[in-house]
Amino acid sequence: SQQGEEDPQALSIQEGENATMNCSYKTSINNLQWYRQNSGRGLVHLILIRSNEREKHSGRLRVTLDTSKKSSSLLITASRAADTASYFCATAHASGGSYIPTFGRGTSLIVHP
Amino acid sequence: GAVVSQHPSRVICKSGTSVKIECRSLDFQATTMFWYRQFPKQSLMLMATSNEGSKATYEQGVEKDKFLINHASLTLSTLTVTSAHPEDSSFYICSARASGGDTQYFGPGTRLTVL
C-alpha cells in the first residue's frame, strides 16, 4: 500500500531555529496531511493540503506540496521546546470510492531550550 | 470541535481474554472510522476501515476474526481483540472522518498490555 516516507528520521535543533521535514510518496494522492504526536499520545492534525494546492500556512507552520516530485515539506519557524514531538505525513488515496490514509515512519523532532 | 475519544486509555489483561476498545466522535457524525496499531517508535499501521452500518474492510494480514470491529452508529466504533496474546500488546489508535470531509481526527489511543 502507498506510504509517505518522512525525512529526516530524527532532527535535533535549538529553540528559535527553523525545522524542516520532508515527505515523499509514490502514487497520485487526493490530499496530504501532517500530524504531530507526543510520546504515547494520539495524533493532532496540523494541516491538510490538497493535490491542487502548492502551499499552505497555519501560524508558525508552512506546508508545501510538489505533486510533480511527489513530495511535501513541513516547515516550523521559530521553534519552541514544546514543538518536540514526532511528525507524520499521511497521504490519502482513493480505494473503492473512499480515501484511505496511510502514514510514513515519522520524523522525531527534538527542540533544545 | 472535532473531538474523538477512546476508552479505555489503558488496559492490562491476561492472555486468552478479550478486550473491547471504544472510539467515539463527540461532536460530529463519522461515517468512516479507522483503526490503527502502533508499535514503539514506529509508524501507524492501518488495521481496518470501519463504515457505519456495514462490515469493516480489513488490511492485508489483519485477522478479522481476531480483531472484531463494529460501527453500529455514526458516533461509535468498537474494536474487540479476541483471545488476546502478549504479541497483541500495542498502542491502538482510532480516527474518525466526518461525512464529506477529508480531515481525520484521532483519538488519544489505548495502550493494551497482555500478560
Side-chain angles (χ1 to χ4, degrees):
Chain A
S1 62
Q2 176 171 304
Q3 182 179 49
E5 290 292 338
E6 292 89 346
D7 170 62
Q9 290 188 17
L11 183 60
S12 181
I13 60 175
Q14 293 296 128
E15 204 166 33
E17 294 180 340
N18 295 341
T20 300
M21 289 158 269
N22 302 297
C23 170
S24 60
Y25 55 92
K26 297 176 183 176
T27 62
S28 297
I29 60 171
N30 171 262
N31 64 65
L32 185 146
Q33 304 179 51
W34 283 92
Y35 291 85
R36 162 201 170 115
Q37 183 182 35
N38 288 81
S39 180
R41 307 294 292 274
L43 273 73
V44 175
H45 181 261
L46 298 177
I47 287 186
L48 179 152
I49 186 164
R50 302 186 191 285
S51 59
N52 62 351
E53 298 176 309
R54 292 296 169 258
E55 186 171 314
K56 287 189 82 168
H57 297 254
S58 177
R60 294 183 295 113
L61 306 180
R62 172 177 170 252
V63 168
T64 63
L65 179 64
D66 187 335
T67 53
S68 67
K69 295 181 180 179
K70 293 185 171 56
S71 68
S72 173
S73 68
L74 170 66
L75 169 66
I76 304 174
T77 60
S79 65
R80 304 167 182 168
D83 294 328
T84 295
S86 291
Y87 292 83
F88 294 90
C89 69
T91 52
H93 61 283
S95 175
S98 297
Y99 290 102
I100 308 299
T102 53
F103 285 80
R105 295 173 184 266
T107 292
S108 175
L109 172 66
I110 297 176
V111 181
H112 299 280
Chain B
V3 177
V4 176
S5 70
Q6 269 184 253
H7 178 79
S9 59
R10 191 179 297 266
V11 57
I12 300 173
C13 68
K14 292 182 179 179
S15 186
T17 60
S18 293
V19 175
K20 180 186 284 189
I21 303 170
E22 294 185 347
C23 177
R24 294 181 185 273
S25 56
L26 299 184
D27 49 4
F28 66 100
Q29 293 187 329
T31 52
T32 305
M33 290 185 171
F34 302 92
W35 286 97
Y36 294 85
R37 181 174 180 174
Q38 185 180 34
F39 291 103
K41 300 188 185 301
Q42 299 287 320
S43 183
L44 281 74
M45 183 192 79
L46 179 64
M47 298 174 66
T49 302
S50 171
N51 295 297
E52 188 268 336
S54 63
K55 291 183 179 180
T57 303
Y58 290 82
E59 294 298 301
Q60 192 173 10
V62 178
E63 300 175 57
K64 60 181 181 181
D65 294 329
K66 170 79 173 173
F67 298 99
L68 301 178
I69 291 173
N70 184 284
H71 193 160
S73 77
L74 286 171
T75 59
L76 174 64
S77 176
T78 60
L79 168 68
T80 301
V81 182
T82 62
S83 187
H85 290 282
E87 57 264 31
D88 298 324
S89 297
S90 189
F91 192 55
Y92 292 87
I93 306 177
C94 73
S95 70
R97 188 171 65 202
S99 306
D102 290 330
T103 302
Q104 279 186 280
Y105 298 96
F106 283 80
T110 296
R111 174 76 57 192
L112 170 63
T113 303
V114 184
L115 302 176

